[in-house]
Amino acid sequence: MQEYSTKDNIEKLLEESSKEITLSLKNKNFREINSTLNSFIEAYLNSGIKDDSLVIQLRQFTFQLICREFQLAEQNVEIEMQRLSSEFLSQEFPTQDTSWFYASIYSTHIGAIDTALQELIKAIELNPTNKSYYDDLIMLAHYSPNLNLENIKEFSELYYHNYVYPWLKLIKKNINPEPKQLKSSELIKIGFLSGDVKLHPIFFWLSTLLEEADKNKFDFVIYANNSKNTWGDSLSAKNYCIKYIAETKDEDLYKTIQEDEIDILIDLSGHTALNRLEIFALKAAPLQISWLGQAGPMGIPEIDYIIADKYVIKEEEERFYTEKILRMPEILAPYPAANYSNLKINRNLAKQDGQIVLASFNHSFKINTTTIQAWAEILAKTTNTILLIKNSSATSEEYQKKLMQTFSEYNVNSNRILFEGRTNKASYLDKFSEIDIALDSFPVGGGTTTHETLMMSVPLISLFGNHFAQRSSSAVLLVSGLKELVSYSIEEYINKVIDLASRPEKIIEYKQTIREKYLSSAATDMKSFVRDFFISLEKLWKSRLEE
């Protein structure tokens, strides 16, 4: 990206990232350590700078901090990194809650979600007051094929009972939360609170929303719970009010939001890294809403609404949510595809030798054993296909070995499976020209990846899941007028891929039409969405004033 196109800027980001990692470890927010490290690697890759020592430097710095915590030798950090696996931690430090938490990160990394959930439950049993453990437990529960909305609601209630409620009792000793006096004013003041006001998809959604908003009706404050950075500063340059609050105490943040006279406070993080969900439990604003960061329920009854659409939350499922449901007319969040130009779109088959290239570009933690079994069955029944798996874990020998074990059970030759690791954004988008059919992961499919697959004119087969997080990808297809690509059972998913792989002329037809169909749909119509979004907020605010 342009902001990090020089080595000086990357080195500045390295310094910022090191500070953020130190702060995260100090606050025992271990998951954010990985998030910061990955964000730096992504920025480095996008910069085009060829100096791997910068990445190595941050990795060594990170794991030296971890090694110190466990009082491990620092002479050979790479060896210690390997020792920080789930087996090592659980054996050497079985009574430390952080051991089980690090083990859950490792399990998540290789797609063993149910194992990670059990490790998080163990960590909570050892230390029921650590916020990060509940955040991960609730977030990862959405990715398990063996849990349902009722289980997720139970986890969110556990979070409120064990963490939020004691926190409220403690913080109310220092402040006396008083509801803001409601009054009608010329402008409705909206606050957005997020830990992703940085190089992150949330930033691009937010910045596009702000650009399209009617400034004669709304005023905005962005509360950035992350380190100061050039992306956030770009909003300041456009005269938006941005406040960096990562080091702001909870009681001071509450007072700041009150002093800013925020009418509607919108959370953009959910239980993802660097959230400040507890602030919502103080009812910092008269109307509080959750959007984009994560599928609900959040577990905080003081959050009034969660934004959804008609696809992701059914009426009969509303009882599992601590929030009321605010449904957008078309889609819960369109993608700003118009921001992309000079894309390499392949309107023909990827290869000319009769092979059909299947591919998954989804995160490794979304790819579980059930998903791999379905893909293995597809490959076993289609002799003309190969499969490309591209994600940040794909170059790991252990990850490859884990996946290949399942493929081999279906007698799928290893030469039909290709692995590729993370690359910069431009190379990632170019890679779509080398594939024919995208295979969605399940139960949780793609988010941004699904949008970008259609933007690059590649057909994608999805599986409509059992709740919000497991339906977002299918919702994009349905809104784009591609309902025939949505499956409602694993068997149907497998059959749809097999059928399409046997019809190269149909693949070509999709490649020549999908992009245009997608771009002309509500899935990318930011102007209409922004209009509907703010009309909905106006109605809610008017209703609140009339109560």
Side-chain angles (χ1 to χ4, degrees):
M1 296 290 181
Q2 188 175 355
E3 283 78 358
Y4 295 119
S5 58
T6 68
K7 188 172 180 180
D8 285 345
N9 284 338
I10 283 289
E11 288 176 342
K12 182 180 178 182
L13 179 62
L14 175 64
E15 183 180 350
E16 292 174 357
S17 299
S18 299
K19 290 179 181 177
E20 197 159 297
I21 286 169
T22 302
L23 179 65
S24 297
L25 191 61
K26 180 182 177 182
N27 295 332
K28 293 194 178 296
N29 194 338
F30 304 110
R31 177 164 48 84
E32 178 57 19
I33 292 174
N34 274 18
S35 177
T36 302
L37 182 58
N38 289 337
S39 292
F40 174 79
I41 292 171
E42 183 173 356
Y44 164 75
L45 289 168
N46 280 317
S47 73
I49 295 169
K50 304 296 183 184
D51 186 355
D52 290 346
S53 66
L54 295 170
V55 175
I56 293 170
Q57 184 179 338
L58 187 61
R59 285 177 63 87
Q60 288 181 334
F61 172 79
T62 301
F63 285 96
Q64 281 170 349
L65 288 179
I66 295 172
C67 289
R68 286 194 193 109
E69 179 181 345
F70 287 103
Q71 298 182 335
L72 303 173
E74 295 181 23
Q75 288 80 1
N76 191 331
V77 176
E78 291 299 321
I79 292 176
E80 299 301 345
M81 285 168 58
Q82 296 301 319
R83 294 181 67 204
L84 288 170
S85 66
S86 58
E87 183 179 355
F88 168 74
L89 290 170
S90 59
Q91 288 180 358
E92 297 296 323
F93 304 96
T95 60
Q96 286 201 29
D97 51 291
T98 46
S99 297
W100 294 100
F101 182 76
Y102 280 121
S104 74
I105 292 176
Y106 174 80
S107 296
T108 301
H109 178 75
I110 62 172
I113 298 300
D114 287 327
T115 301
L117 288 167
Q118 291 303 313
E119 289 161 343
L120 285 166
I121 289 170
K122 181 68 175 178
I124 289 170
E125 289 173 352
L126 292 168
N127 180 5
T129 62
N130 190 297
K131 169 183 164 59
S132 292
Y133 303 166
Y134 295 101
D135 284 339
D136 269 19
L137 182 71
I138 295 168
M139 187 174 68
L140 287 180
H142 293 274
Y143 293 85
S144 171
N146 300 311
L147 298 180
N148 56 32
L149 270 175
E150 188 168 358
N151 300 130
I152 297 169
K153 184 183 179 184
E154 288 172 357
F155 287 154
S156 67
E157 289 172 344
L158 183 71
Y159 155 71
Y160 193 89
H161 181 270
N162 284 3
Y163 180 78
V164 179
Y165 183 68
W167 176 86
L168 280 171
K169 289 179 67 177
L170 186 64
I171 199 169
K172 284 180 179 179
K173 293 179 180 179
N174 300 322
I175 62 172
N176 182 26
E178 295 183 0
K180 177 190 170 185
Q181 185 175 0
L182 297 180
K183 60 180 180 179
S184 180
S185 57
E186 186 177 344
L187 297 178
I188 299 174
K189 200 160 189 182
I190 299 176
F192 292 98
L193 202 164
S194 175
D196 295 313
V197 186
K198 54 186 179 182
L199 180 60
H200 190 279
I202 292 293
F203 169 83
F204 296 105
W205 257 298
L206 175 61
S207 58
T208 304
L209 184 83
L210 293 173
E211 285 292 311
E212 298 287 345
D214 186 347
K215 312 303 188 297
N216 295 316
K217 290 186 175 182
F218 302 94
D219 191 18
F220 303 99
V221 180
I222 299 100
Y223 301 99
N225 194 44
N226 48 260
S227 298
K228 184 176 171 62
N229 61 85
T230 54
W231 297 97
D233 291 346
S234 70
L235 295 177
S236 296
K238 295 177 181 178
N239 296 319
Y240 293 110
C241 177
I242 180 169
K243 299 185 177 184
Y244 292 98
I245 58 165
E247 298 188 29
T248 303
K249 294 180 179 178
D250 291 327
E251 52 265 42
D252 293 333
L253 176 56
Y254 171 80
K255 292 174 184 176
T256 297
I257 294 171
Q258 291 273 293
E259 290 167 1
D260 289 338
E261 298 187 317
I262 298 299
D263 298 313
I264 304 174
L265 185 63
I266 301 177
D267 171 58
L268 298 176
S269 291
H271 284 279
T272 62
L274 289 181
N275 73 75
R276 298 291 287 269
L277 275 176
E278 300 76 36
I279 292 299
F280 290 80
L282 287 169
K283 202 62 179 175
L287 190 58
Q288 302 190 140
I289 297 173
S290 174
W291 181 49
L292 277 183
Q294 179 213 327
M298 300 305 159
I300 297 187
E302 291 82 4
I303 295 178
D304 301 288
Y305 290 90
I306 185 170
I307 294 177
D309 58 41
K310 61 185 177 182
Y311 300 108
V312 296
I313 300 179
K314 298 177 181 179
E315 286 188 16
E316 61 267 26
E317 295 165 348
E318 293 182 10
R319 63 190 176 93
F320 295 110
Y321 288 81
T322 47
E323 312 87 357
K324 297 186 186 77
I325 312 303
L326 176 60
R327 289 184 178 85
M328 293 293 102
E330 298 291 343
I331 189 170
L332 70 93
Y335 189 66
N339 294 351
Y340 292 86
S341 59
N342 301 319
L343 297 172
K344 182 181 176 182
I345 311 293
N346 182 3
R347 303 290 190 166
N348 219 314
L349 295 176
K351 298 168 76 70
Q352 303 303 314
D353 60 2
Q355 281 190 321
I356 301 299
V357 183
L358 313 177
S360 167
F361 293 171
N362 291 351
H363 287 296
S364 59
F365 59 82
K366 293 183 177 182
I367 301 173
N368 54 55
T369 301
T370 307
T371 306
I372 294 298
Q373 287 172 340
W375 294 352
E377 185 173 339
I378 290 166
L379 289 169
K381 293 180 177 179
T382 54
T383 57
N384 66 327
T385 57
I386 59 175
L387 173 62
L388 169 64
I389 297 174
K390 178 179 173 62
N391 58 53
S392 58
S393 301
T395 55
S396 162
E397 288 186 14
E398 185 169 357
Y399 180 75
Q400 292 180 13
K401 182 180 178 182
K402 176 179 177 291
L403 267 57
M404 287 309 306
Q405 183 176 350
T406 302
F407 284 117
S408 64
E409 291 171 2
Y410 286 77
N411 297 317
V412 176
N413 197 298
S414 61
N415 62 13
R416 295 178 63 195
I417 312 297
L418 307 175
F419 293 97
E420 185 174 311
R422 174 188 285 182
T423 53
N424 63 36
K425 188 76 171 186
S427 298
Y428 155 77
L429 291 175
D430 284 349
K431 203 68 184 179
F432 282 99
S433 67
E434 299 177 24
I435 70 173
D436 295 309
I437 304 172
L439 306 184
D440 212 2
S441 54
F442 57 84
V444 176
T448 302
T449 306
T450 295
H451 281 284
E452 290 169 345
T453 301
L454 302 183
M455 181 179 74
M456 299 305 294
S457 217
V458 174
L460 175 140
I461 306 295
S462 75
L463 177 59
F464 193 88
N466 294 323
H467 50 77
F468 191 153
Q470 300 179 3
R471 296 172 183 158
S472 297
S473 185
S474 294
V476 175
L477 288 170
L478 293 168
V479 170
S480 301
L482 296 163
K483 63 180 181 180
E484 73 276 10
L485 297 179
V486 178
S487 312
Y488 294 88
S489 70
I490 296 176
E491 181 181 7
E492 185 184 7
Y493 174 98
I494 292 169
N495 291 336
K496 280 184 181 291
V497 178
I498 291 172
D499 177 65
L500 187 55
S502 69
R503 299 163 62 197
E505 72 286 349
K506 186 64 177 177
I507 297 173
I508 294 172
E509 180 186 331
Y510 274 128
K511 285 195 162 193
Q512 292 177 350
T513 59
I514 274 189
R515 173 177 166 81
E516 287 67 31
K517 201 166 188 177
Y518 166 70
L519 292 177
S520 63
S521 75
T524 63
D525 187 353
M526 290 298 300
K527 286 186 180 295
S528 296
F529 174 81
V530 171
R531 179 199 64 216
D532 294 336
F533 182 87
F534 286 110
I535 286 175
S536 296
L537 295 190
E538 277 187 287
K539 288 180 179 178
L540 289 179
W541 183 241
K542 182 180 179 182
S543 176
R544 182 55 55 93
L545 288 173
E546 292 173 350
E547 288 179 358

PDB file of all heavy atoms in Angstrom, residues 10 24 38 75-76 85 122 169 174 190 206 213 260 320 330 399 429 432 448 459 504 533:
ATOM      1  N   ILE A  10       7.876   1.426   6.782  1.00  0.00           N
ATOM      2  CA  ILE A  10       7.737   0.069   7.311  1.00  0.00           C
ATOM      3  C   ILE A  10       8.434  -0.038   8.669  1.00  0.00           C
ATOM      4  O   ILE A  10       7.921  -0.675   9.608  1.00  0.00           O
ATOM      5  CB  ILE A  10       8.307  -0.967   6.318  1.00  0.00           C
ATOM      6  CG1 ILE A  10       7.320  -1.184   5.177  1.00  0.00           C
ATOM      7  CG2 ILE A  10       8.600  -2.287   6.995  1.00  0.00           C
ATOM      8  CD1 ILE A  10       6.061  -1.941   5.582  1.00  0.00           C
ATOM      9  N   SER A  24      -0.225  -5.315  24.533  1.00  0.00           N
ATOM     10  CA  SER A  24      -1.129  -6.471  24.530  1.00  0.00           C
ATOM     11  C   SER A  24      -0.685  -7.518  25.539  1.00  0.00           C
ATOM     12  O   SER A  24      -1.505  -8.106  26.242  1.00  0.00           O
ATOM     13  CB  SER A  24      -1.188  -7.091  23.129  1.00  0.00           C
ATOM     14  OG  SER A  24      -1.730  -6.187  22.204  1.00  0.00           O
ATOM     15  N   ASN A  38       0.349 -10.396  12.417  1.00  0.00           N
ATOM     16  CA  ASN A  38      -0.185 -10.680  11.083  1.00  0.00           C
ATOM     17  C   ASN A  38      -0.460  -9.406  10.292  1.00  0.00           C
ATOM     18  O   ASN A  38      -0.242  -9.353   9.079  1.00  0.00           O
ATOM     19  CB  ASN A  38      -1.467 -11.517  11.187  1.00  0.00           C
ATOM     20  CG  ASN A  38      -1.186 -12.939  11.619  1.00  0.00           C
ATOM     21  OD1 ASN A  38      -0.084 -13.435  11.452  1.00  0.00           O
ATOM     22  ND2 ASN A  38      -2.176 -13.597  12.194  1.00  0.00           N
ATOM     23  N   GLN A  75      18.168 -18.048  23.872  1.00  0.00           N
ATOM     24  CA  GLN A  75      19.290 -18.158  22.946  1.00  0.00           C
ATOM     25  C   GLN A  75      18.837 -18.581  21.552  1.00  0.00           C
ATOM     26  O   GLN A  75      19.370 -18.143  20.550  1.00  0.00           O
ATOM     27  CB  GLN A  75      20.331 -19.162  23.476  1.00  0.00           C
ATOM     28  CG  GLN A  75      21.130 -18.658  24.664  1.00  0.00           C
ATOM     29  CD  GLN A  75      20.372 -18.777  25.969  1.00  0.00           C
ATOM     30  OE1 GLN A  75      19.254 -19.262  25.987  1.00  0.00           O
ATOM     31  NE2 GLN A  75      20.971 -18.310  27.047  1.00  0.00           N
ATOM     32  N   ASN A  76      17.865 -19.442  21.500  1.00  0.00           N
ATOM     33  CA  ASN A  76      17.404 -19.904  20.191  1.00  0.00           C
ATOM     34  C   ASN A  76      15.882 -19.743  20.136  1.00  0.00           C
ATOM     35  O   ASN A  76      15.130 -20.636  20.489  1.00  0.00           O
ATOM     36  CB  ASN A  76      17.788 -21.367  19.963  1.00  0.00           C
ATOM     37  CG  ASN A  76      17.565 -21.789  18.528  1.00  0.00           C
ATOM     38  OD1 ASN A  76      16.703 -21.266  17.839  1.00  0.00           O
ATOM     39  ND2 ASN A  76      18.355 -22.739  18.071  1.00  0.00           N
ATOM     40  N   SER A  85       4.103 -25.094  21.512  1.00  0.00           N
ATOM     41  CA  SER A  85       2.952 -25.775  20.912  1.00  0.00           C
ATOM     42  C   SER A  85       2.036 -26.234  22.035  1.00  0.00           C
ATOM     43  O   SER A  85       2.390 -26.197  23.214  1.00  0.00           O
ATOM     44  CB  SER A  85       3.411 -26.993  20.102  1.00  0.00           C
ATOM     45  OG  SER A  85       3.972 -27.955  20.963  1.00  0.00           O
ATOM     46  N   LYS A 122     -10.804 -24.861  29.442  1.00  0.00           N
ATOM     47  CA  LYS A 122      -9.832 -25.213  30.486  1.00  0.00           C
ATOM     48  C   LYS A 122      -9.171 -23.946  31.040  1.00  0.00           C
ATOM     49  O   LYS A 122      -8.996 -23.807  32.257  1.00  0.00           O
ATOM     50  CB  LYS A 122      -8.770 -26.151  29.903  1.00  0.00           C
ATOM     51  CG  LYS A 122      -7.713 -26.597  30.897  1.00  0.00           C
ATOM     52  CD  LYS A 122      -8.279 -27.518  31.967  1.00  0.00           C
ATOM     53  CE  LYS A 122      -7.182 -28.042  32.873  1.00  0.00           C
ATOM     54  NZ  LYS A 122      -7.727 -28.895  33.951  1.00  0.00           N
ATOM     55  N   LYS A 169     -19.477  -3.938  38.782  1.00  0.00           N
ATOM     56  CA  LYS A 169     -19.487  -3.646  40.215  1.00  0.00           C
ATOM     57  C   LYS A 169     -18.230  -2.880  40.618  1.00  0.00           C
ATOM     58  O   LYS A 169     -18.287  -1.952  41.433  1.00  0.00           O
ATOM     59  CB  LYS A 169     -19.598  -4.948  41.009  1.00  0.00           C
ATOM     60  CG  LYS A 169     -20.955  -5.619  40.907  1.00  0.00           C
ATOM     61  CD  LYS A 169     -20.995  -6.919  41.691  1.00  0.00           C
ATOM     62  CE  LYS A 169     -20.885  -6.688  43.178  1.00  0.00           C
ATOM     63  NZ  LYS A 169     -21.000  -7.956  43.942  1.00  0.00           N
ATOM     64  N   ASN A 174     -15.906   3.868  40.964  1.00  0.00           N
ATOM     65  CA  ASN A 174     -15.167   5.053  40.508  1.00  0.00           C
ATOM     66  C   ASN A 174     -16.039   6.040  39.734  1.00  0.00           C
ATOM     67  O   ASN A 174     -15.716   7.225  39.663  1.00  0.00           O
ATOM     68  CB  ASN A 174     -13.989   4.635  39.632  1.00  0.00           C
ATOM     69  CG  ASN A 174     -13.013   3.731  40.358  1.00  0.00           C
ATOM     70  OD1 ASN A 174     -12.751   3.926  41.541  1.00  0.00           O
ATOM     71  ND2 ASN A 174     -12.482   2.737  39.661  1.00  0.00           N
ATOM     72  N   ILE A 190     -23.067  10.342  16.075  1.00  0.00           N
ATOM     73  CA  ILE A 190     -22.816   8.905  16.047  1.00  0.00           C
ATOM     74  C   ILE A 190     -21.346   8.628  16.372  1.00  0.00           C
ATOM     75  O   ILE A 190     -20.445   9.239  15.795  1.00  0.00           O
ATOM     76  CB  ILE A 190     -23.163   8.310  14.665  1.00  0.00           C
ATOM     77  CG1 ILE A 190     -24.652   8.541  14.365  1.00  0.00           C
ATOM     78  CG2 ILE A 190     -22.827   6.820  14.610  1.00  0.00           C
ATOM     79  CD1 ILE A 190     -25.074   8.084  12.982  1.00  0.00           C
ATOM     80  N   LEU A 206     -15.815   1.339   6.974  1.00  0.00           N
ATOM     81  CA  LEU A 206     -16.128   2.542   7.740  1.00  0.00           C
ATOM     82  C   LEU A 206     -15.826   3.805   6.943  1.00  0.00           C
ATOM     83  O   LEU A 206     -16.661   4.727   6.880  1.00  0.00           O
ATOM     84  CB  LEU A 206     -15.331   2.542   9.047  1.00  0.00           C
ATOM     85  CG  LEU A 206     -15.453   3.800   9.915  1.00  0.00           C
ATOM     86  CD1 LEU A 206     -16.903   4.025  10.340  1.00  0.00           C
ATOM     87  CD2 LEU A 206     -14.540   3.695  11.140  1.00  0.00           C
ATOM     88  N   ALA A 213     -21.971   9.499   3.754  1.00  0.00           N
ATOM     89  CA  ALA A 213     -22.962   9.965   4.734  1.00  0.00           C
ATOM     90  C   ALA A 213     -23.345  11.425   4.506  1.00  0.00           C
ATOM     91  O   ALA A 213     -22.574  12.223   3.979  1.00  0.00           O
ATOM     92  CB  ALA A 213     -22.406   9.789   6.142  1.00  0.00           C
ATOM     93  N   ASP A 260     -18.691  13.827  24.840  1.00  0.00           N
ATOM     94  CA  ASP A 260     -18.868  14.032  23.394  1.00  0.00           C
ATOM     95  C   ASP A 260     -20.344  14.062  23.000  1.00  0.00           C
ATOM     96  O   ASP A 260     -20.674  14.324  21.839  1.00  0.00           O
ATOM     97  CB  ASP A 260     -18.156  12.922  22.607  1.00  0.00           C
ATOM     98  CG  ASP A 260     -16.643  13.041  22.668  1.00  0.00           C
ATOM     99  OD1 ASP A 260     -16.154  14.152  22.942  1.00  0.00           O
ATOM    100  OD2 ASP A 260     -15.960  12.025  22.440  1.00  0.00           O
ATOM    101  N   PHE A 320     -32.481 -16.103  20.558  1.00  0.00           N
ATOM    102  CA  PHE A 320     -31.127 -16.445  20.993  1.00  0.00           C
ATOM    103  C   PHE A 320     -30.225 -15.215  21.101  1.00  0.00           C
ATOM    104  O   PHE A 320     -29.056 -15.340  21.482  1.00  0.00           O
ATOM    105  CB  PHE A 320     -30.492 -17.443  20.018  1.00  0.00           C
ATOM    106  CG  PHE A 320     -31.181 -18.779  19.994  1.00  0.00           C
ATOM    107  CD1 PHE A 320     -31.925 -19.176  18.898  1.00  0.00           C
ATOM    108  CD2 PHE A 320     -31.095 -19.646  21.080  1.00  0.00           C
ATOM    109  CE1 PHE A 320     -32.555 -20.411  18.861  1.00  0.00           C
ATOM    110  CE2 PHE A 320     -31.727 -20.874  21.065  1.00  0.00           C
ATOM    111  CZ  PHE A 320     -32.458 -21.255  19.955  1.00  0.00           C
ATOM    112  N   GLU A 330     -31.561  -4.995   2.111  1.00  0.00           N
ATOM    113  CA  GLU A 330     -30.940  -5.903   1.144  1.00  0.00           C
ATOM    114  C   GLU A 330     -29.832  -6.766   1.736  1.00  0.00           C
ATOM    115  O   GLU A 330     -29.842  -7.978   1.618  1.00  0.00           O
ATOM    116  CB  GLU A 330     -30.392  -5.106  -0.048  1.00  0.00           C
ATOM    117  CG  GLU A 330     -31.438  -4.338  -0.844  1.00  0.00           C
ATOM    118  CD  GLU A 330     -32.368  -5.243  -1.620  1.00  0.00           C
ATOM    119  OE1 GLU A 330     -32.037  -6.421  -1.818  1.00  0.00           O
ATOM    120  OE2 GLU A 330     -33.444  -4.760  -2.034  1.00  0.00           O
ATOM    121  N   TYR A 399       0.735 -28.358   8.769  1.00  0.00           N
ATOM    122  CA  TYR A 399      -0.611 -28.094   8.256  1.00  0.00           C
ATOM    123  C   TYR A 399      -0.876 -28.950   7.017  1.00  0.00           C
ATOM    124  O   TYR A 399      -1.938 -29.566   6.883  1.00  0.00           O
ATOM    125  CB  TYR A 399      -0.745 -26.607   7.925  1.00  0.00           C
ATOM    126  CG  TYR A 399      -2.098 -26.201   7.381  1.00  0.00           C
ATOM    127  CD1 TYR A 399      -3.201 -26.103   8.219  1.00  0.00           C
ATOM    128  CD2 TYR A 399      -2.259 -25.884   6.036  1.00  0.00           C
ATOM    129  CE1 TYR A 399      -4.437 -25.714   7.731  1.00  0.00           C
ATOM    130  CE2 TYR A 399      -3.492 -25.496   5.530  1.00  0.00           C
ATOM    131  CZ  TYR A 399      -4.581 -25.410   6.386  1.00  0.00           C
ATOM    132  OH  TYR A 399      -5.804 -25.031   5.895  1.00  0.00           O
ATOM    133  N   LEU A 429      -5.135 -11.099  -5.619  1.00  0.00           N
ATOM    134  CA  LEU A 429      -6.213 -10.884  -6.586  1.00  0.00           C
ATOM    135  C   LEU A 429      -5.869 -11.469  -7.953  1.00  0.00           C
ATOM    136  O   LEU A 429      -6.733 -12.034  -8.638  1.00  0.00           O
ATOM    137  CB  LEU A 429      -6.529  -9.392  -6.700  1.00  0.00           C
ATOM    138  CG  LEU A 429      -7.195  -8.747  -5.468  1.00  0.00           C
ATOM    139  CD1 LEU A 429      -7.339  -7.240  -5.658  1.00  0.00           C
ATOM    140  CD2 LEU A 429      -8.556  -9.382  -5.192  1.00  0.00           C
ATOM    141  N   PHE A 432      -6.758 -15.214  -8.743  1.00  0.00           N
ATOM    142  CA  PHE A 432      -8.095 -15.639  -9.160  1.00  0.00           C
ATOM    143  C   PHE A 432      -8.143 -15.973 -10.648  1.00  0.00           C
ATOM    144  O   PHE A 432      -8.992 -16.757 -11.080  1.00  0.00           O
ATOM    145  CB  PHE A 432      -9.124 -14.551  -8.828  1.00  0.00           C
ATOM    146  CG  PHE A 432      -9.531 -14.510  -7.390  1.00  0.00           C
ATOM    147  CD1 PHE A 432      -8.965 -13.594  -6.517  1.00  0.00           C
ATOM    148  CD2 PHE A 432     -10.481 -15.399  -6.897  1.00  0.00           C
ATOM    149  CE1 PHE A 432      -9.340 -13.547  -5.180  1.00  0.00           C
ATOM    150  CE2 PHE A 432     -10.868 -15.371  -5.561  1.00  0.00           C
ATOM    151  CZ  PHE A 432     -10.292 -14.439  -4.702  1.00  0.00           C
ATOM    152  N   THR A 448     -15.012 -11.150   3.242  1.00  0.00           N
ATOM    153  CA  THR A 448     -14.367 -10.357   2.194  1.00  0.00           C
ATOM    154  C   THR A 448     -13.955 -11.244   1.020  1.00  0.00           C
ATOM    155  O   THR A 448     -14.081 -10.847  -0.144  1.00  0.00           O
ATOM    156  CB  THR A 448     -13.133  -9.639   2.766  1.00  0.00           C
ATOM    157  OG1 THR A 448     -13.533  -8.813   3.860  1.00  0.00           O
ATOM    158  CG2 THR A 448     -12.465  -8.779   1.717  1.00  0.00           C
ATOM    159  N   PRO A 459     -16.924 -18.332 -10.177  1.00  0.00           N
ATOM    160  CA  PRO A 459     -18.060 -18.935  -9.460  1.00  0.00           C
ATOM    161  C   PRO A 459     -17.615 -19.558  -8.149  1.00  0.00           C
ATOM    162  O   PRO A 459     -16.531 -20.136  -8.063  1.00  0.00           O
ATOM    163  CB  PRO A 459     -18.570 -19.995 -10.434  1.00  0.00           C
ATOM    164  CG  PRO A 459     -17.388 -20.335 -11.290  1.00  0.00           C
ATOM    165  CD  PRO A 459     -16.604 -19.064 -11.423  1.00  0.00           C
ATOM    166  N   PRO A 504     -17.338 -27.502 -18.437  1.00  0.00           N
ATOM    167  CA  PRO A 504     -16.446 -26.350 -18.648  1.00  0.00           C
ATOM    168  C   PRO A 504     -17.129 -25.182 -19.352  1.00  0.00           C
ATOM    169  O   PRO A 504     -16.788 -24.019 -19.093  1.00  0.00           O
ATOM    170  CB  PRO A 504     -15.304 -26.926 -19.490  1.00  0.00           C
ATOM    171  CG  PRO A 504     -15.813 -28.214 -20.027  1.00  0.00           C
ATOM    172  CD  PRO A 504     -16.772 -28.723 -19.041  1.00  0.00           C
ATOM    173  N   PHE A 533     -29.106   2.698   5.602  1.00  0.00           N
ATOM    174  CA  PHE A 533     -28.463   2.598   6.911  1.00  0.00           C
ATOM    175  C   PHE A 533     -28.825   3.797   7.781  1.00  0.00           C
ATOM    176  O   PHE A 533     -29.288   3.653   8.927  1.00  0.00           O
ATOM    177  CB  PHE A 533     -26.947   2.508   6.712  1.00  0.00           C
ATOM    178  CG  PHE A 533     -26.143   2.351   7.976  1.00  0.00           C
ATOM    179  CD1 PHE A 533     -25.895   1.099   8.506  1.00  0.00           C
ATOM    180  CD2 PHE A 533     -25.614   3.463   8.627  1.00  0.00           C
ATOM    181  CE1 PHE A 533     -25.141   0.947   9.656  1.00  0.00           C
ATOM    182  CE2 PHE A 533     -24.861   3.322   9.774  1.00  0.00           C
ATOM    183  CZ  PHE A 533     -24.620   2.057  10.292  1.00  0.00           C
TER     184      PHE A 533
END
